[in-house]
Amino acid sequence: MDEKLIIAGPCTFGSYEELYKVAEEVKKRGIKYLRAGTFKMRTSPDSFQGLREEGMEMLLKIKKELGLKIVTELTSIEQVKKYGDKIDIIQIGARNMYNYELLKEVGKTKTPVILKRSFSATYKEWILAAKYIKNGWNNNIILCERGIRNYMSNETRNIMDIQAIPYIKHNTDYKIIVDPSHSSGNAYMVEPLAKAALVAGSDGLLIETHYNPSESKCDSIQTIDMDTLDRIINFSNNMRWFLCLKWQMN
Ligand code: PEP
Ligand code: MN
């Protein structure tokens, strides 16, 4: 039974101390992949845009000091050229799923890529976007369902399309993970949605986590605390053992 790809960490960070503290908490739990945005694609130009280059240096320092693998969003061709082979997984955000020149540049690297589904993208558009990457060198692509637009956006930010999991598994060879944080926009929904995604066959999870969610520089309402992360990890591990056992008994 494949190990699930669990990626946790803050939406973004405002200082090295903050990033280090979250990274330590993530590492303590046996998680190998740290997420943290430094080139932030914010809806409003007036919102905090991340520490950018300075933040990238901090992420690379954390990688060296704590041995964690770094998952972070790159938003331009220049960033891909400069950092694409220094980080462990390149994240392409929902806003850039249609940025084909960027996708082609990512296709020139050999670094694994998480390609997030855009807000209202059809499965076909999402899979064709992945092909822009694949047509280069790079076939190490993980698709990420991060919630699609819905008609009650005052109540939940997006809505998790759980059907995307069996669809992608049935119709493509790509791995698929789920981001319950941006799907729901609410921390209290993240644990049940993460569990549902795992049961539906998700290959992993991308979760916004902080030692003190209220301190998070961005998306604090949807950010879970470490105790919640512990419960999700336990569920994932128990499910894996259960499925292994069941497989052996059959
Ligand atoms: C993120 O994961 O940091 C992010 C900005 O997500 P999305 O691109 O799905 O909005
Ligand atoms: Mn976020």
Side-chain angles (χ1 to χ4, degrees):
M1 220 41 65
D2 279 355
E3 199 176 329
K4 298 290 177 190
L5 177 63
I6 309 286
I7 306 169
C11 178
T12 186
F13 52 98
S15 69
Y16 185 70
E17 291 63 42
E18 183 191 6
L19 178 66
Y20 191 91
K21 218 168 142 188
V22 187
E24 257 188 337
E25 291 293 333
V26 163
K27 187 176 171 174
K28 250 194 243 168
R29 287 158 173 84
I31 294 179
K32 300 187 188 85
Y33 290 84
L34 176 73
R35 65 142 289 146
T38 188
F39 298 106
K40 291 303 297 175
M41 296 285 291
R42 303 303 300 278
T43 303
S44 165
D46 301 324
S47 304
F48 176 60
Q49 304 283 308
L51 292 178
R52 308 188 68 79
E53 280 79 8
E54 195 193 344
M56 183 59 90
E57 296 312 319
M58 293 177 188
L59 283 168
L60 296 175
K61 196 164 164 210
I62 289 282
K63 175 174 163 68
K64 218 162 137 194
E65 284 193 13
L66 294 182
L68 281 165
K69 293 189 190 295
I70 302 299
V71 182
T72 195
E73 180 168 356
L74 299 181
T75 60
S76 72
I77 292 175
E78 295 71 40
Q79 289 162 19
V80 174
K81 284 193 167 94
K82 197 162 166 198
Y83 303 116
D85 56 3
K86 293 198 170 77
I87 59 177
D88 298 283
I89 302 184
I90 299 171
Q91 183 175 317
I92 297 295
R95 291 163 186 78
N96 269 324
M97 190 207 89
Y98 293 109
N99 186 342
Y100 301 133
E101 294 303 321
L102 179 64
L103 300 183
K104 282 189 221 167
E105 193 61 38
V106 171
K108 293 181 193 164
T109 73
K110 294 201 173 80
T111 309
V113 190
I114 288 177
L115 178 63
K116 288 192 142 194
R117 181 182 183 188
S118 199
F119 310 110
S120 316
T122 63
Y123 297 143
K124 196 170 169 197
E125 287 168 334
W126 191 16
I127 292 164
L128 285 173
K131 196 156 187 279
Y132 271 95
I133 301 172
K134 194 176 167 183
N135 280 356
W137 293 97
N138 202 336
N139 195 20
N140 212 337
I141 302 166
I142 302 154
L143 300 184
C144 178
E145 162 60 34
R146 47 80 70 209
I148 50 173
R149 285 233 193 275
N150 69 73
Y151 51 84
M152 46 183 187
S153 49
N154 287 337
E155 292 151 58
T156 77
R157 185 171 176 173
N158 292 293
I159 195 154
M160 189 172 100
D161 175 12
I162 203 152
Q163 294 175 183
I165 303 165
Y167 183 90
I168 294 297
K169 294 216 151 281
H170 186 79
N171 294 290
T172 79
D173 292 329
Y174 296 125
K175 297 255 181 233
I176 176 164
I177 64 170
V178 168
D179 170 352
S181 313
H182 292 88
S183 297
S184 65
N186 285 290
Y188 75 89
M189 290 185 178
V190 168
E191 183 181 344
L193 290 181
K195 290 175 177 171
L198 290 170
V199 172
S202 177
D203 296 303
L205 299 166
L206 176 70
I207 305 179
E208 288 186 340
T209 317
H210 199 284
Y211 53 85
N212 181 359
S214 65
E215 260 183 47
S216 186
K217 288 282 285 175
C218 169
D219 286 347
S220 57
I221 293 169
Q222 69 193 33
T223 298
I224 59 164
D225 59 19
M226 294 297 159
D227 289 344
T228 311
L229 182 64
D230 282 337
R231 289 195 297 276
I232 295 170
I233 297 168
N234 278 341
F235 182 88
S236 171
N237 290 339
N238 290 341
M239 202 182 89
R240 221 171 118 228
W241 288 118
F242 174 76
L243 290 175
C244 263
L245 210 69
K246 194 165 169 275
W247 179 74
Q248 277 173 1
M249 284 180 349
N250 280 341

